[in-house]
Structures are given as C-alpha cells and as structure tokens.
PDB file of all heavy atoms in Angstrom:
ATOM      1  N   THR N   1      -0.018  -4.339 -10.467  1.00  0.00           N
ATOM      2  CA  THR N   1       1.404  -4.028 -10.295  1.00  0.00           C
ATOM      3  C   THR N   1       2.072  -3.738 -11.642  1.00  0.00           C
ATOM      4  O   THR N   1       3.031  -2.976 -11.721  1.00  0.00           O
ATOM      5  CB  THR N   1       2.149  -5.178  -9.594  1.00  0.00           C
ATOM      6  OG1 THR N   1       2.178  -6.320 -10.457  1.00  0.00           O
ATOM      7  CG2 THR N   1       1.460  -5.547  -8.295  1.00  0.00           C
ATOM      8  N   ALA N   2       1.554  -4.363 -12.695  1.00  0.00           N
ATOM      9  CA  ALA N   2       2.122  -4.157 -14.028  1.00  0.00           C
ATOM     10  C   ALA N   2       1.648  -2.843 -14.651  1.00  0.00           C
ATOM     11  O   ALA N   2       2.384  -2.207 -15.410  1.00  0.00           O
ATOM     12  CB  ALA N   2       1.756  -5.326 -14.940  1.00  0.00           C
ATOM     13  N   LEU N   3       0.420  -2.438 -14.331  1.00  0.00           N
ATOM     14  CA  LEU N   3      -0.143  -1.237 -14.957  1.00  0.00           C
ATOM     15  C   LEU N   3       0.322   0.054 -14.299  1.00  0.00           C
ATOM     16  O   LEU N   3       0.325   1.112 -14.935  1.00  0.00           O
ATOM     17  CB  LEU N   3      -1.674  -1.304 -14.919  1.00  0.00           C
ATOM     18  CG  LEU N   3      -2.321  -2.393 -15.775  1.00  0.00           C
ATOM     19  CD1 LEU N   3      -3.840  -2.368 -15.615  1.00  0.00           C
ATOM     20  CD2 LEU N   3      -1.948  -2.225 -17.247  1.00  0.00           C
ATOM     21  N   ALA N   4       0.714  -0.007 -13.042  1.00  0.00           N
ATOM     22  CA  ALA N   4       1.175   1.203 -12.351  1.00  0.00           C
ATOM     23  C   ALA N   4       2.582   1.593 -12.822  1.00  0.00           C
ATOM     24  O   ALA N   4       3.327   0.765 -13.340  1.00  0.00           O
ATOM     25  CB  ALA N   4       1.168   0.966 -10.847  1.00  0.00           C
ATOM     26  N   ASP N   5       2.942   2.847 -12.616  1.00  0.00           N
ATOM     27  CA  ASP N   5       4.280   3.315 -12.997  1.00  0.00           C
ATOM     28  C   ASP N   5       5.350   2.757 -12.073  1.00  0.00           C
ATOM     29  O   ASP N   5       6.487   2.533 -12.485  1.00  0.00           O
ATOM     30  CB  ASP N   5       4.319   4.845 -12.964  1.00  0.00           C
ATOM     31  CG  ASP N   5       3.371   5.465 -13.988  1.00  0.00           C
ATOM     32  OD1 ASP N   5       3.629   5.298 -15.195  1.00  0.00           O
ATOM     33  OD2 ASP N   5       2.377   6.081 -13.585  1.00  0.00           O
ATOM     34  N   GLN N   6       4.992   2.549 -10.798  1.00  0.00           N
ATOM     35  CA  GLN N   6       5.887   1.935  -9.835  1.00  0.00           C
ATOM     36  C   GLN N   6       5.088   0.946  -8.997  1.00  0.00           C
ATOM     37  O   GLN N   6       3.869   1.086  -8.851  1.00  0.00           O
ATOM     38  CB  GLN N   6       6.496   2.986  -8.894  1.00  0.00           C
ATOM     39  CG  GLN N   6       7.453   3.961  -9.553  1.00  0.00           C
ATOM     40  CD  GLN N   6       7.890   5.033  -8.562  1.00  0.00           C
ATOM     41  OE1 GLN N   6       7.333   6.128  -8.533  1.00  0.00           O
ATOM     42  NE2 GLN N   6       8.890   4.729  -7.740  1.00  0.00           N
ATOM     43  N   ALA N   7       5.782  -0.056  -8.438  1.00  0.00           N
ATOM     44  CA  ALA N   7       5.115  -1.017  -7.569  1.00  0.00           C
ATOM     45  C   ALA N   7       6.029  -1.346  -6.404  1.00  0.00           C
ATOM     46  O   ALA N   7       7.233  -1.551  -6.584  1.00  0.00           O
ATOM     47  CB  ALA N   7       4.758  -2.286  -8.341  1.00  0.00           C
ATOM     48  N   VAL N   8       5.447  -1.375  -5.211  1.00  0.00           N
ATOM     49  CA  VAL N   8       6.220  -1.603  -3.986  1.00  0.00           C
ATOM     50  C   VAL N   8       5.578  -2.733  -3.190  1.00  0.00           C
ATOM     51  O   VAL N   8       4.375  -2.696  -2.899  1.00  0.00           O
ATOM     52  CB  VAL N   8       6.262  -0.331  -3.113  1.00  0.00           C
ATOM     53  CG1 VAL N   8       7.049  -0.594  -1.832  1.00  0.00           C
ATOM     54  CG2 VAL N   8       6.852   0.844  -3.880  1.00  0.00           C
ATOM     55  N   CYS N   9       6.360  -3.747  -2.837  1.00  0.00           N
ATOM     56  CA  CYS N   9       5.864  -4.824  -1.986  1.00  0.00           C
ATOM     57  C   CYS N   9       5.822  -4.327  -0.545  1.00  0.00           C
ATOM     58  O   CYS N   9       6.813  -3.780  -0.041  1.00  0.00           O
ATOM     59  CB  CYS N   9       6.760  -6.053  -2.085  1.00  0.00           C
ATOM     60  SG  CYS N   9       6.170  -7.452  -1.092  1.00  0.00           S
ATOM     61  N   VAL N  10       4.659  -4.518   0.105  1.00  0.00           N
ATOM     62  CA  VAL N  10       4.497  -4.009   1.462  1.00  0.00           C
ATOM     63  C   VAL N  10       4.301  -5.116   2.497  1.00  0.00           C
ATOM     64  O   VAL N  10       3.947  -4.831   3.645  1.00  0.00           O
ATOM     65  CB  VAL N  10       3.336  -2.988   1.550  1.00  0.00           C
ATOM     66  CG1 VAL N  10       3.701  -1.699   0.851  1.00  0.00           C
ATOM     67  CG2 VAL N  10       2.040  -3.580   0.990  1.00  0.00           C
ATOM     68  N   GLY N  11       4.509  -6.379   2.117  1.00  0.00           N
ATOM     69  CA  GLY N  11       4.416  -7.424   3.126  1.00  0.00           C
ATOM     70  C   GLY N  11       3.888  -8.739   2.621  1.00  0.00           C
ATOM     71  O   GLY N  11       3.745  -8.959   1.410  1.00  0.00           O
ATOM     72  N   GLY N  12       3.585  -9.612   3.564  1.00  0.00           N
ATOM     73  CA  GLY N  12       3.138 -10.963   3.263  1.00  0.00           C
ATOM     74  C   GLY N  12       1.713 -11.033   2.759  1.00  0.00           C
ATOM     75  O   GLY N  12       1.025 -10.022   2.656  1.00  0.00           O
ATOM     76  N   PRO N  13       1.249 -12.250   2.454  1.00  0.00           N
ATOM     77  CA  PRO N  13      -0.073 -12.429   1.849  1.00  0.00           C
ATOM     78  C   PRO N  13      -1.238 -11.992   2.727  1.00  0.00           C
ATOM     79  O   PRO N  13      -2.247 -11.501   2.219  1.00  0.00           O
ATOM     80  CB  PRO N  13      -0.137 -13.938   1.593  1.00  0.00           C
ATOM     81  CG  PRO N  13       1.272 -14.396   1.584  1.00  0.00           C
ATOM     82  CD  PRO N  13       1.985 -13.520   2.550  1.00  0.00           C
ATOM     83  N   LYS N  14      -1.140 -12.162   4.036  1.00  0.00           N
ATOM     84  CA  LYS N  14      -2.250 -11.809   4.901  1.00  0.00           C
ATOM     85  C   LYS N  14      -2.491 -10.300   4.880  1.00  0.00           C
ATOM     86  O   LYS N  14      -1.530  -9.521   4.921  1.00  0.00           O
ATOM     87  CB  LYS N  14      -1.984 -12.286   6.332  1.00  0.00           C
ATOM     88  CG  LYS N  14      -1.935 -13.797   6.476  1.00  0.00           C
ATOM     89  CD  LYS N  14      -1.685 -14.184   7.920  1.00  0.00           C
ATOM     90  CE  LYS N  14      -1.646 -15.708   8.076  1.00  0.00           C
ATOM     91  NZ  LYS N  14      -1.371 -16.113   9.483  1.00  0.00           N
ATOM     92  N   PRO N  15      -3.759  -9.873   4.822  1.00  0.00           N
ATOM     93  CA  PRO N  15      -4.054  -8.433   4.754  1.00  0.00           C
ATOM     94  C   PRO N  15      -3.395  -7.618   5.859  1.00  0.00           C
ATOM     95  O   PRO N  15      -2.897  -6.516   5.611  1.00  0.00           O
ATOM     96  CB  PRO N  15      -5.580  -8.393   4.857  1.00  0.00           C
ATOM     97  CG  PRO N  15      -6.027  -9.701   4.303  1.00  0.00           C
ATOM     98  CD  PRO N  15      -4.989 -10.684   4.736  1.00  0.00           C
ATOM     99  N   GLU N  16      -3.349  -8.167   7.084  1.00  0.00           N
ATOM    100  CA  GLU N  16      -2.765  -7.402   8.188  1.00  0.00           C
ATOM    101  C   GLU N  16      -1.268  -7.178   8.013  1.00  0.00           C
ATOM    102  O   GLU N  16      -0.683  -6.272   8.625  1.00  0.00           O
ATOM    103  CB  GLU N  16      -3.040  -8.092   9.527  1.00  0.00           C
ATOM    104  CG  GLU N  16      -2.536  -9.510   9.639  1.00  0.00           C
ATOM    105  CD  GLU N  16      -3.568 -10.554   9.272  1.00  0.00           C
ATOM    106  OE1 GLU N  16      -4.433 -10.268   8.415  1.00  0.00           O
ATOM    107  OE2 GLU N  16      -3.508 -11.679   9.826  1.00  0.00           O
ATOM    108  N   ASP N  17      -0.644  -7.989   7.169  1.00  0.00           N
ATOM    109  CA  ASP N  17       0.791  -7.833   6.910  1.00  0.00           C
ATOM    110  C   ASP N  17       1.080  -6.939   5.711  1.00  0.00           C
ATOM    111  O   ASP N  17       2.241  -6.620   5.447  1.00  0.00           O
ATOM    112  CB  ASP N  17       1.437  -9.199   6.666  1.00  0.00           C
ATOM    113  CG  ASP N  17       1.374 -10.104   7.882  1.00  0.00           C
ATOM    114  OD1 ASP N  17       1.380  -9.567   9.002  1.00  0.00           O
ATOM    115  OD2 ASP N  17       1.305 -11.331   7.706  1.00  0.00           O
ATOM    116  N   SER N  18       0.048  -6.550   4.986  1.00  0.00           N
ATOM    117  CA  SER N  18       0.277  -5.790   3.752  1.00  0.00           C
ATOM    118  C   SER N  18      -0.742  -4.670   3.574  1.00  0.00           C
ATOM    119  O   SER N  18      -0.503  -3.524   3.957  1.00  0.00           O
ATOM    120  CB  SER N  18       0.272  -6.739   2.545  1.00  0.00           C
ATOM    121  OG  SER N  18      -0.885  -7.577   2.563  1.00  0.00           O
ATOM    122  N   TYR N  19      -1.913  -5.003   3.024  1.00  0.00           N
ATOM    123  CA  TYR N  19      -2.879  -3.968   2.664  1.00  0.00           C
ATOM    124  C   TYR N  19      -3.533  -3.289   3.867  1.00  0.00           C
ATOM    125  O   TYR N  19      -4.115  -2.215   3.730  1.00  0.00           O
ATOM    126  CB  TYR N  19      -3.961  -4.559   1.751  1.00  0.00           C
ATOM    127  CG  TYR N  19      -3.398  -5.107   0.464  1.00  0.00           C
ATOM    128  CD1 TYR N  19      -3.356  -6.487   0.234  1.00  0.00           C
ATOM    129  CD2 TYR N  19      -2.887  -4.266  -0.514  1.00  0.00           C
ATOM    130  CE1 TYR N  19      -2.841  -6.998  -0.943  1.00  0.00           C
ATOM    131  CE2 TYR N  19      -2.355  -4.770  -1.695  1.00  0.00           C
ATOM    132  CZ  TYR N  19      -2.329  -6.143  -1.893  1.00  0.00           C
ATOM    133  OH  TYR N  19      -1.811  -6.652  -3.065  1.00  0.00           O
ATOM    134  N   LEU N  20      -3.412  -3.893   5.041  1.00  0.00           N
ATOM    135  CA  LEU N  20      -3.918  -3.264   6.258  1.00  0.00           C
ATOM    136  C   LEU N  20      -2.797  -2.709   7.127  1.00  0.00           C
ATOM    137  O   LEU N  20      -3.061  -2.207   8.222  1.00  0.00           O
ATOM    138  CB  LEU N  20      -4.743  -4.275   7.077  1.00  0.00           C
ATOM    139  CG  LEU N  20      -6.107  -4.651   6.499  1.00  0.00           C
ATOM    140  CD1 LEU N  20      -6.747  -5.759   7.325  1.00  0.00           C
ATOM    141  CD2 LEU N  20      -7.031  -3.440   6.444  1.00  0.00           C
ATOM    142  N   ASN N  21      -1.577  -2.781   6.631  1.00  0.00           N
ATOM    143  CA  ASN N  21      -0.433  -2.281   7.391  1.00  0.00           C
ATOM    144  C   ASN N  21      -0.213  -0.805   7.046  1.00  0.00           C
ATOM    145  O   ASN N  21       0.472  -0.461   6.081  1.00  0.00           O
ATOM    146  CB  ASN N  21       0.819  -3.101   7.083  1.00  0.00           C
ATOM    147  CG  ASN N  21       1.943  -2.816   8.064  1.00  0.00           C
ATOM    148  OD1 ASN N  21       2.258  -1.674   8.356  1.00  0.00           O
ATOM    149  ND2 ASN N  21       2.549  -3.879   8.576  1.00  0.00           N
ATOM    150  N   ALA N  22      -0.814   0.050   7.853  1.00  0.00           N
ATOM    151  CA  ALA N  22      -0.811   1.491   7.549  1.00  0.00           C
ATOM    152  C   ALA N  22       0.593   2.076   7.487  1.00  0.00           C
ATOM    153  O   ALA N  22       0.909   2.866   6.579  1.00  0.00           O
ATOM    154  CB  ALA N  22      -1.642   2.229   8.600  1.00  0.00           C
ATOM    155  N   GLN N  23       1.462   1.702   8.416  1.00  0.00           N
ATOM    156  CA  GLN N  23       2.809   2.289   8.444  1.00  0.00           C
ATOM    157  C   GLN N  23       3.615   1.921   7.207  1.00  0.00           C
ATOM    158  O   GLN N  23       4.342   2.750   6.657  1.00  0.00           O
ATOM    159  CB  GLN N  23       3.543   1.841   9.714  1.00  0.00           C
ATOM    160  CG  GLN N  23       3.053   2.501  10.996  1.00  0.00           C
ATOM    161  CD  GLN N  23       3.397   3.985  11.066  1.00  0.00           C
ATOM    162  OE1 GLN N  23       4.119   4.513  10.218  1.00  0.00           O
ATOM    163  NE2 GLN N  23       2.866   4.673  12.073  1.00  0.00           N
ATOM    164  N   ARG N  24       3.480   0.674   6.732  1.00  0.00           N
ATOM    165  CA  ARG N  24       4.230   0.279   5.537  1.00  0.00           C
ATOM    166  C   ARG N  24       3.723   1.016   4.299  1.00  0.00           C
ATOM    167  O   ARG N  24       4.506   1.380   3.414  1.00  0.00           O
ATOM    168  CB  ARG N  24       4.133  -1.234   5.335  1.00  0.00           C
ATOM    169  CG  ARG N  24       4.917  -2.027   6.363  1.00  0.00           C
ATOM    170  CD  ARG N  24       4.844  -3.523   6.106  1.00  0.00           C
ATOM    171  NE  ARG N  24       5.551  -4.270   7.135  1.00  0.00           N
ATOM    172  CZ  ARG N  24       5.599  -5.587   7.209  1.00  0.00           C
ATOM    173  NH1 ARG N  24       4.961  -6.318   6.287  1.00  0.00           N
ATOM    174  NH2 ARG N  24       6.258  -6.202   8.174  1.00  0.00           N
ATOM    175  N   ILE N  25       2.422   1.230   4.242  1.00  0.00           N
ATOM    176  CA  ILE N  25       1.862   1.955   3.093  1.00  0.00           C
ATOM    177  C   ILE N  25       2.280   3.416   3.121  1.00  0.00           C
ATOM    178  O   ILE N  25       2.649   3.998   2.090  1.00  0.00           O
ATOM    179  CB  ILE N  25       0.330   1.793   3.065  1.00  0.00           C
ATOM    180  CG1 ILE N  25      -0.024   0.350   2.708  1.00  0.00           C
ATOM    181  CG2 ILE N  25      -0.307   2.763   2.073  1.00  0.00           C
ATOM    182  CD1 ILE N  25      -1.486   0.018   2.832  1.00  0.00           C
ATOM    183  N   ILE N  26       2.272   4.025   4.298  1.00  0.00           N
ATOM    184  CA  ILE N  26       2.749   5.403   4.437  1.00  0.00           C
ATOM    185  C   ILE N  26       4.218   5.483   4.021  1.00  0.00           C
ATOM    186  O   ILE N  26       4.628   6.400   3.278  1.00  0.00           O
ATOM    187  CB  ILE N  26       2.578   5.894   5.890  1.00  0.00           C
ATOM    188  CG1 ILE N  26       1.102   6.024   6.263  1.00  0.00           C
ATOM    189  CG2 ILE N  26       3.319   7.218   6.099  1.00  0.00           C
ATOM    190  CD1 ILE N  26       0.379   7.186   5.658  1.00  0.00           C
ATOM    191  N   SER N  27       5.023   4.538   4.480  1.00  0.00           N
ATOM    192  CA  SER N  27       6.446   4.523   4.125  1.00  0.00           C
ATOM    193  C   SER N  27       6.651   4.406   2.621  1.00  0.00           C
ATOM    194  O   SER N  27       7.524   5.071   2.040  1.00  0.00           O
ATOM    195  CB  SER N  27       7.155   3.360   4.835  1.00  0.00           C
ATOM    196  OG  SER N  27       7.121   3.527   6.236  1.00  0.00           O
ATOM    197  N   ALA N  28       5.827   3.559   1.965  1.00  0.00           N
ATOM    198  CA  ALA N  28       5.931   3.395   0.505  1.00  0.00           C
ATOM    199  C   ALA N  28       5.597   4.700  -0.206  1.00  0.00           C
ATOM    200  O   ALA N  28       6.245   5.078  -1.191  1.00  0.00           O
ATOM    201  CB  ALA N  28       4.999   2.282   0.039  1.00  0.00           C
ATOM    202  N   ALA N  29       4.601   5.409   0.289  1.00  0.00           N
ATOM    203  CA  ALA N  29       4.217   6.691  -0.316  1.00  0.00           C
ATOM    204  C   ALA N  29       5.332   7.712  -0.173  1.00  0.00           C
ATOM    205  O   ALA N  29       5.687   8.424  -1.130  1.00  0.00           O
ATOM    206  CB  ALA N  29       2.932   7.207   0.319  1.00  0.00           C
ATOM    207  N   LEU N  30       5.920   7.795   1.010  1.00  0.00           N
ATOM    208  CA  LEU N  30       6.999   8.773   1.241  1.00  0.00           C
ATOM    209  C   LEU N  30       8.240   8.417   0.429  1.00  0.00           C
ATOM    210  O   LEU N  30       8.893   9.292  -0.146  1.00  0.00           O
ATOM    211  CB  LEU N  30       7.327   8.823   2.733  1.00  0.00           C
ATOM    212  CG  LEU N  30       6.207   9.336   3.658  1.00  0.00           C
ATOM    213  CD1 LEU N  30       6.621   9.195   5.120  1.00  0.00           C
ATOM    214  CD2 LEU N  30       5.863  10.787   3.338  1.00  0.00           C
ATOM    215  N   ALA N  31       8.543   7.119   0.361  1.00  0.00           N
ATOM    216  CA  ALA N  31       9.757   6.691  -0.355  1.00  0.00           C
ATOM    217  C   ALA N  31       9.657   6.927  -1.854  1.00  0.00           C
ATOM    218  O   ALA N  31      10.675   7.172  -2.528  1.00  0.00           O
ATOM    219  CB  ALA N  31      10.018   5.209  -0.072  1.00  0.00           C
ATOM    220  N   THR N  32       8.456   6.862  -2.397  1.00  0.00           N
ATOM    221  CA  THR N  32       8.284   7.021  -3.852  1.00  0.00           C
ATOM    222  C   THR N  32       7.913   8.453  -4.249  1.00  0.00           C
ATOM    223  O   THR N  32       7.770   8.731  -5.432  1.00  0.00           O
ATOM    224  CB  THR N  32       7.191   6.071  -4.363  1.00  0.00           C
ATOM    225  OG1 THR N  32       5.978   6.306  -3.629  1.00  0.00           O
ATOM    226  CG2 THR N  32       7.610   4.619  -4.204  1.00  0.00           C
ATOM    227  N   GLY N  33       7.721   9.314  -3.274  1.00  0.00           N
ATOM    228  CA  GLY N  33       7.399  10.708  -3.595  1.00  0.00           C
ATOM    229  C   GLY N  33       5.953  10.946  -3.958  1.00  0.00           C
ATOM    230  O   GLY N  33       5.615  11.967  -4.573  1.00  0.00           O
ATOM    231  N   ALA N  34       5.079  10.039  -3.563  1.00  0.00           N
ATOM    232  CA  ALA N  34       3.644  10.254  -3.811  1.00  0.00           C
ATOM    233  C   ALA N  34       3.139  11.388  -2.921  1.00  0.00           C
ATOM    234  O   ALA N  34       3.583  11.555  -1.792  1.00  0.00           O
ATOM    235  CB  ALA N  34       2.865   8.971  -3.537  1.00  0.00           C
ATOM    236  N   GLN N  35       2.214  12.164  -3.456  1.00  0.00           N
ATOM    237  CA  GLN N  35       1.660  13.281  -2.684  1.00  0.00           C
ATOM    238  C   GLN N  35       0.323  12.924  -2.042  1.00  0.00           C
ATOM    239  O   GLN N  35      -0.122  13.613  -1.124  1.00  0.00           O
ATOM    240  CB  GLN N  35       1.460  14.490  -3.606  1.00  0.00           C
ATOM    241  CG  GLN N  35       2.744  14.973  -4.248  1.00  0.00           C
ATOM    242  CD  GLN N  35       2.520  15.411  -5.688  1.00  0.00           C
ATOM    243  OE1 GLN N  35       1.814  14.755  -6.443  1.00  0.00           O
ATOM    244  NE2 GLN N  35       3.125  16.519  -6.054  1.00  0.00           N
ATOM    245  N   ALA N  36      -0.320  11.885  -2.547  1.00  0.00           N
ATOM    246  CA  ALA N  36      -1.648  11.528  -2.065  1.00  0.00           C
ATOM    247  C   ALA N  36      -1.808  10.013  -2.111  1.00  0.00           C
ATOM    248  O   ALA N  36      -1.086   9.320  -2.838  1.00  0.00           O
ATOM    249  CB  ALA N  36      -2.723  12.196  -2.916  1.00  0.00           C
ATOM    250  N   ILE N  37      -2.769   9.525  -1.330  1.00  0.00           N
ATOM    251  CA  ILE N  37      -3.074   8.091  -1.287  1.00  0.00           C
ATOM    252  C   ILE N  37      -4.556   7.896  -1.552  1.00  0.00           C
ATOM    253  O   ILE N  37      -5.401   8.500  -0.891  1.00  0.00           O
ATOM    254  CB  ILE N  37      -2.711   7.478   0.080  1.00  0.00           C
ATOM    255  CG1 ILE N  37      -1.198   7.540   0.297  1.00  0.00           C
ATOM    256  CG2 ILE N  37      -3.211   6.037   0.173  1.00  0.00           C
ATOM    257  CD1 ILE N  37      -0.743   6.975   1.632  1.00  0.00           C
ATOM    258  N   HIS N  38      -4.860   7.043  -2.538  1.00  0.00           N
ATOM    259  CA  HIS N  38      -6.254   6.660  -2.798  1.00  0.00           C
ATOM    260  C   HIS N  38      -6.464   5.273  -2.205  1.00  0.00           C
ATOM    261  O   HIS N  38      -5.812   4.321  -2.604  1.00  0.00           O
ATOM    262  CB  HIS N  38      -6.551   6.641  -4.293  1.00  0.00           C
ATOM    263  CG  HIS N  38      -8.027   6.654  -4.596  1.00  0.00           C
ATOM    264  ND1 HIS N  38      -8.910   5.766  -4.022  1.00  0.00           N
ATOM    265  CD2 HIS N  38      -8.778   7.465  -5.396  1.00  0.00           C
ATOM    266  CE1 HIS N  38     -10.134   6.019  -4.455  1.00  0.00           C
ATOM    267  NE2 HIS N  38     -10.087   7.048  -5.281  1.00  0.00           N
ATOM    268  N   PRO N  39      -7.415   5.135  -1.246  1.00  0.00           N
ATOM    269  CA  PRO N  39      -7.580   3.849  -0.576  1.00  0.00           C
ATOM    270  C   PRO N  39      -8.524   2.876  -1.270  1.00  0.00           C
ATOM    271  O   PRO N  39      -8.665   1.732  -0.822  1.00  0.00           O
ATOM    272  CB  PRO N  39      -8.152   4.256   0.778  1.00  0.00           C
ATOM    273  CG  PRO N  39      -9.005   5.444   0.445  1.00  0.00           C
ATOM    274  CD  PRO N  39      -8.276   6.176  -0.652  1.00  0.00           C
ATOM    275  N   GLY N  40      -9.222   3.306  -2.342  1.00  0.00           N
ATOM    276  CA  GLY N  40     -10.182   2.416  -2.997  1.00  0.00           C
ATOM    277  C   GLY N  40     -11.352   2.122  -2.086  1.00  0.00           C
ATOM    278  O   GLY N  40     -11.888   3.009  -1.428  1.00  0.00           O
ATOM    279  N   TYR N  41     -11.769   0.848  -2.039  1.00  0.00           N
ATOM    280  CA  TYR N  41     -12.798   0.432  -1.081  1.00  0.00           C
ATOM    281  C   TYR N  41     -12.266  -0.768  -0.302  1.00  0.00           C
ATOM    282  O   TYR N  41     -11.365  -1.478  -0.745  1.00  0.00           O
ATOM    283  CB  TYR N  41     -14.118   0.095  -1.776  1.00  0.00           C
ATOM    284  CG  TYR N  41     -14.031  -0.936  -2.873  1.00  0.00           C
ATOM    285  CD1 TYR N  41     -13.848  -2.279  -2.582  1.00  0.00           C
ATOM    286  CD2 TYR N  41     -14.142  -0.563  -4.211  1.00  0.00           C
ATOM    287  CE1 TYR N  41     -13.761  -3.223  -3.595  1.00  0.00           C
ATOM    288  CE2 TYR N  41     -14.060  -1.514  -5.232  1.00  0.00           C
ATOM    289  CZ  TYR N  41     -13.872  -2.831  -4.912  1.00  0.00           C
ATOM    290  OH  TYR N  41     -13.783  -3.767  -5.900  1.00  0.00           O
ATOM    291  N   GLY N  42     -12.834  -1.032   0.879  1.00  0.00           N
ATOM    292  CA  GLY N  42     -12.314  -2.098   1.718  1.00  0.00           C
ATOM    293  C   GLY N  42     -10.979  -1.697   2.326  1.00  0.00           C
ATOM    294  O   GLY N  42     -10.551  -0.544   2.266  1.00  0.00           O
ATOM    295  N   PHE N  43     -10.292  -2.654   2.930  1.00  0.00           N
ATOM    296  CA  PHE N  43      -9.000  -2.435   3.567  1.00  0.00           C
ATOM    297  C   PHE N  43      -9.015  -1.173   4.439  1.00  0.00           C
ATOM    298  O   PHE N  43      -9.771  -1.097   5.396  1.00  0.00           O
ATOM    299  CB  PHE N  43      -7.881  -2.423   2.535  1.00  0.00           C
ATOM    300  CG  PHE N  43      -7.658  -3.749   1.857  1.00  0.00           C
ATOM    301  CD1 PHE N  43      -7.642  -3.858   0.476  1.00  0.00           C
ATOM    302  CD2 PHE N  43      -7.500  -4.921   2.599  1.00  0.00           C
ATOM    303  CE1 PHE N  43      -7.455  -5.090  -0.148  1.00  0.00           C
ATOM    304  CE2 PHE N  43      -7.315  -6.155   1.981  1.00  0.00           C
ATOM    305  CZ  PHE N  43      -7.291  -6.237   0.606  1.00  0.00           C
ATOM    306  N   LEU N  44      -8.215  -0.152   4.095  1.00  0.00           N
ATOM    307  CA  LEU N  44      -8.075   1.035   4.942  1.00  0.00           C
ATOM    308  C   LEU N  44      -8.957   2.199   4.512  1.00  0.00           C
ATOM    309  O   LEU N  44      -8.802   3.314   5.015  1.00  0.00           O
ATOM    310  CB  LEU N  44      -6.611   1.482   4.955  1.00  0.00           C
ATOM    311  CG  LEU N  44      -5.622   0.501   5.609  1.00  0.00           C
ATOM    312  CD1 LEU N  44      -4.184   0.938   5.342  1.00  0.00           C
ATOM    313  CD2 LEU N  44      -5.868   0.389   7.102  1.00  0.00           C
TER     314      LEU N  44
END
C-alpha cells in the first residue's frame, strides 16, 4: 500500500470481503481511472 501510487481499501480482513470481492475491485479500478487489472496469483 505504501509503494503504490494510490491505495484503496476494499473491505474487511476475510478474503471474501476484500481480495475475492470482484465488484469492489472493479469499482476501485473505475474510481481511480485504472485501465487494466493485474491479478497476480491466487485470489481472482
């Protein structure tokens, strides 16, 4: 969160409330003007 240019909280500690919450992640991308999403590994 410190190394990125922006950081957005997408939910609670449980993965299903945050890193697995597809709609919240999509909303964060649209709200910040991101053009693409890199999912890394695991989660989504």
Side-chain angles (χ1 to χ4, degrees):
T1 67
L3 293 179
D5 296 293
Q6 293 175 263
V8 179
C9 182
V10 289
K14 294 181 180 179
E16 58 267 31
D17 296 330
S18 50
Y19 299 109
L20 288 174
N21 192 313
Q23 287 291 353
R24 289 182 183 176
I25 290 172
I26 293 286
S27 296
L30 295 174
T32 56
Q35 300 142 318
I37 295 179
H38 197 309
Y41 55 74
F43 294 127
L44 295 170

